[in-house]
RNA sequence: GCCUCGGUAGCUCAGCCUGGUAGAGCAACGGUCUCGUAAACCGUAGGUCGCGGGUUCAAAGCCCGCCCGGGGCUCCA
């Protein structure tokens, strides 16, 4: 629908003759209307009553601004080259008229289908002349998955489950020795938070040149600076290596899928997330929000029997996309494009699924331990259906035993989604918000949906149980947890730090003055040759200043080189964790550092080794 | 989507209430200093005050509209 909207001192018009067969009946009589908004209107193909209402709603709003409440709807075909058929056009013009009357607008309408003569006087103010286009809103844009709708009215109740198997309603639990669990429960149940400050990690991610918002993209799609890219890359490697060790086969699958693919579209309805949609030629595509599709489609086509179960398949999705509402986004805590390891395991029956589930639970604990996130840093949340709990009490309790502290439990009376049991490790940040890191689900529905089958001992086709696990949660979110944890340390008066293996610079060498740059570089190289990230602050600044900057960069060890060190063959090593300066031979430092990083992936410095050669990305 | 705060130098921000030559610190650049564990000193350069319109002799500032972003709420397999 196209409307040319004119604020007129007056308009005079007179029907001259019918132009089309469907024209309305009208008298060939002159009409005059004063101080009126004239809507020259063309109805186009695809317009319907909803467009008419939409148009009038906006016109009404506009009338308020101009302090006018009188309109003339004037059918005017010449505005469009894509006109609707006259019969439906007339219907919609009438719908506009009705909508306007309903909105208490004084409404006039020129007859439809006539050749008319008119004289018009348009006012001179800037808002007097407006052209507008209204389109029917495409349906798929409004598509909300059934799961999202179901989520909104889900019925569940909350408990605390202790390691000995007591299930206590949340209201009756004594939280006095479980402060973080109390925070987690409060967050999950009441959804009450009131925080004015910025989340500390968003400031840190920029100050430390890890990541930043990218105004040139969609919100929640971040840019990563070299140091952040390095950390992310190390975490990715670590998770992938751990999954390989576990026996999962790494694959790679497309990031976009056909919206109308039959199995995919029914899965979309079972998943509570909003998608990015892309149109390409004739296809509607959506960007994946997890690796499920790609892996399930592979497994659908693969053939395997009970002998190969449990069968484990893994992908590090870079990226998964979820079009979260803009207000939900927060730095590294929640993005619209994020990197998520996703591992599925197919199990022959519930017994095998439970064994595997436990194995993965342990694996996730170990993995977070590798990031130096321990049991004090996260809380366990478990969710299940009432029915599943009733027949698997001991099994569920055995999960809680593994962390040896009470867990928050959500019990669903009915199965709304595709799983009957899931758990997450939740990190509680400085604003007392909880975010899931590791998670695993027991899925009893998707094998059937994707027609994934295995052959059992008797040669019959069976549907396996599917486990969905993100062993670390989103990689970005891991960095968020590390930053928030570091901030907690800082609040307690301790130096904020990263685990050594993730530190962009592990050791910085600082020559006392520029006379010592050369020997300092020699020492730097010696250390670097042992597979460490060591850089050299060769800038002509005072020693104090360079030490200070090393500290603000959270560098774990700082080595000063001057005459004293050259004479004694001892390095002066400043240890960030303790704040102490200790003399030690180069070997001792090497031993200390390699011990601390044993078993973890390594990558070289992502920046020039000389600080004088580095650009500033932020600030 | 709603509420709220904001957009001024690369960064952090002041100036806006009460209209009258656009500021500071840090960073950058040039120089002096050759330095011993969290900020040496001097200087130089750097701005379409988010965009559009209005009011005014005069707008970063006042008014209207728009755009963008943060945070909160809702939501979170």
């Amino acid at each position: 629908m196209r409307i040319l909207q004119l604020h007129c001192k007056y308009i005079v018009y007179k029907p001259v003759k019918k132009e089309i067969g469907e024209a309305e009946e009208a008298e060939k009589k002159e009409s005059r209307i004063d101080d009126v908004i004239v809507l020259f209107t063309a109805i186009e193909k695809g317009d319907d009553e909803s467009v008419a209402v939409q148009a009038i709603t906006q016109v009404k709003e506009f009338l308020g601004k101009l302090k006018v409440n009188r309109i003339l709807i004037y059918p005017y075909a010449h505005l469009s080259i894509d006109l609707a058929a006259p019969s439906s056009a007339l219907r919609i013009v009438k719908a506009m008229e009705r909508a306007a009357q309903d909105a208490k607008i004084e409404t006039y309408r020129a007859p439809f289908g006539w050749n008319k003569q008119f004289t018009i006087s348009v006012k001179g103010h800037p808002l007097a002349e407006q052209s507008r286009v209204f389109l029917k809103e495409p349906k798929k844009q409004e598509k909300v998955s059934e799961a999202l709708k179901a989520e909104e009215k889900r019925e569940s109740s909350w408990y605390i489950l202790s390691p000995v198997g007591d299930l206590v309603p949340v209201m009756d639990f004594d939280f006095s020795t479980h402060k973080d669990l109390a925070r987690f429960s409060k967050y999950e149940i009441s959804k009450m938070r009131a925080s004015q400050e910025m989340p500390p990690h968003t400031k840190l991610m920029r100050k430390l040149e890890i990541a930043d918002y990218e105004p040139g993209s969609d919100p929640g799609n971040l840019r990563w600076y070299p140091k952040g890219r390095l950390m992310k890359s190390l975490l990715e490697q670590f998770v992938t290596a751990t999954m390989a060790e576990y026996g999962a086969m790494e694959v790679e699958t497309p990031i976009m899928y056909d919206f109308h693919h039959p199995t995919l579209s029914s899965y979309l309805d079972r998943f509570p997330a909003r998608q990015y949609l892309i149109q390409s030629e004739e296809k509607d595509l959506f960007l994946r929000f997890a690796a499920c599709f790609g892996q399930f489609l592979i497994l659908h086509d693969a053939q395997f029997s009970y002998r190969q179960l449990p069968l484990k398949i893994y992908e590090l999705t870079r990226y998964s996309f979820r079009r979260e509402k803009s207000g939900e986004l927060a730095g590294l805590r929640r993005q619209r494009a994020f990197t998520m390891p996703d591992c599925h395991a197919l199990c022959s029956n519930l017994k095998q699924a439970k064994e595997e589930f436990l194995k993965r639970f342990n694996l996730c604990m170990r993995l977070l331990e590798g990031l130096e996130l321990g049991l004090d840093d996260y809380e366990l949340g478990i969710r299940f259906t009432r029915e599943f709990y009733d027949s698997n009490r001991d099994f569920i309790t055995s999960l809680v035993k593994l962390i040896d502290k009470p867990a928050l439990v959500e019990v669903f009376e009915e199965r709304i989604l595709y799983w009957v049991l899931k758990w997450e490790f939740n990190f509680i940040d400085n604003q007392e918000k909880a975010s899931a890191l590791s998670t695993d689900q027991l899925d009893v529905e998707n094998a059937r949906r994707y027609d994934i089958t295995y052959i059992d001992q008797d040669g019959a086709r069976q549907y396996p149980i599917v486990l969905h696990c993100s062993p670390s949660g989103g990689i970005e979110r891991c960095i968020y947890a590390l930053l928030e944890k570091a901030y907690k340390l800082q609040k307690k008066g301790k130096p904020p730090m990263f685990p050594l293996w993730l530190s962009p610079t592990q050791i910085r060498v600082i020559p006392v003055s520029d006379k010592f740059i050369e020997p300092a570089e020699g020492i730097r190289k010696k250390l670097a040759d042992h597979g460490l990230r060591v850089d050299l602050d060769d800038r002509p600044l005072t020693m104090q200043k360079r030490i200070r900057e090393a500290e603000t960069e959270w560098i774990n060890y700082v080595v000063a080189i001057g005459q004293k060190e050259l004479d004694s063959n001892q390095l002066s090593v400043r240890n960030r964790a303790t704040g102490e300066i200790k003399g030690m031979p180069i070997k001792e430092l090497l031993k200390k550092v390699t011990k601390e990083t044993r078993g973890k992936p390594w990558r070289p410095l992502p920046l020039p080794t000389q600080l004088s050669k580095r650009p500033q990305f932020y600030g």
Side-chain angles (χ1 to χ4, degrees), chain A residues 350 383-385 388-389 415 417-422 442-444:
Chain A
L350 189 58
R383 300 160 210 259
F384 40 73
T385 59
F388 188 82
Y389 179 66
R415 180 160 69 85
L417 297 166
Y418 49 78
W419 46 264
V420 290
L421 169 66
K422 74 165 284 205
L442 201 152
D443 169 357
V444 294

Side-chain angles (χ1 to χ4, degrees), chain A residues 368-384:
Chain A
L368 291 189
E369 225 169 85
L371 311 191
E372 298 181 15
L373 295 171
L375 284 171
D376 291 341
D377 296 312
Y378 54 79
E379 296 300 323
L380 174 62
I382 309 186
R383 300 160 210 259
F384 40 73

Side-chain angles (χ1 to χ4, degrees), chain A residues 342-408:
Chain A
D342 202 354
C343 177
H344 294 92
L346 304 186
C347 303
S348 52
N349 52 33
L350 189 58
K351 180 168 172 288
Q352 189 177 63
K354 289 200 290 198
E355 278 168 25
E356 203 59 25
F357 209 69
L358 276 174
K359 205 186 272 181
R360 290 148 70 98
F361 192 96
N362 274 309
L363 181 92
C364 291
M365 279 175 76
R366 266 210 339 267
L367 203 129
L368 291 189
E369 225 169 85
L371 311 191
E372 298 181 15
L373 295 171
L375 284 171
D376 291 341
D377 296 312
Y378 54 79
E379 296 300 323
L380 174 62
I382 309 186
R383 300 160 210 259
F384 40 73
T385 59
R386 175 80 62 194
E387 191 193 358
F388 188 82
Y389 179 66
D390 287 342
S391 43
N392 297 281
R393 269 177 205 235
D394 289 347
F395 171 65
I396 288 174
T397 306
S398 71
L399 294 175
V400 183
K401 273 204 186 97
L402 288 172
I403 60 157
D404 197 29
K405 62 176 186 178
L408 178 68

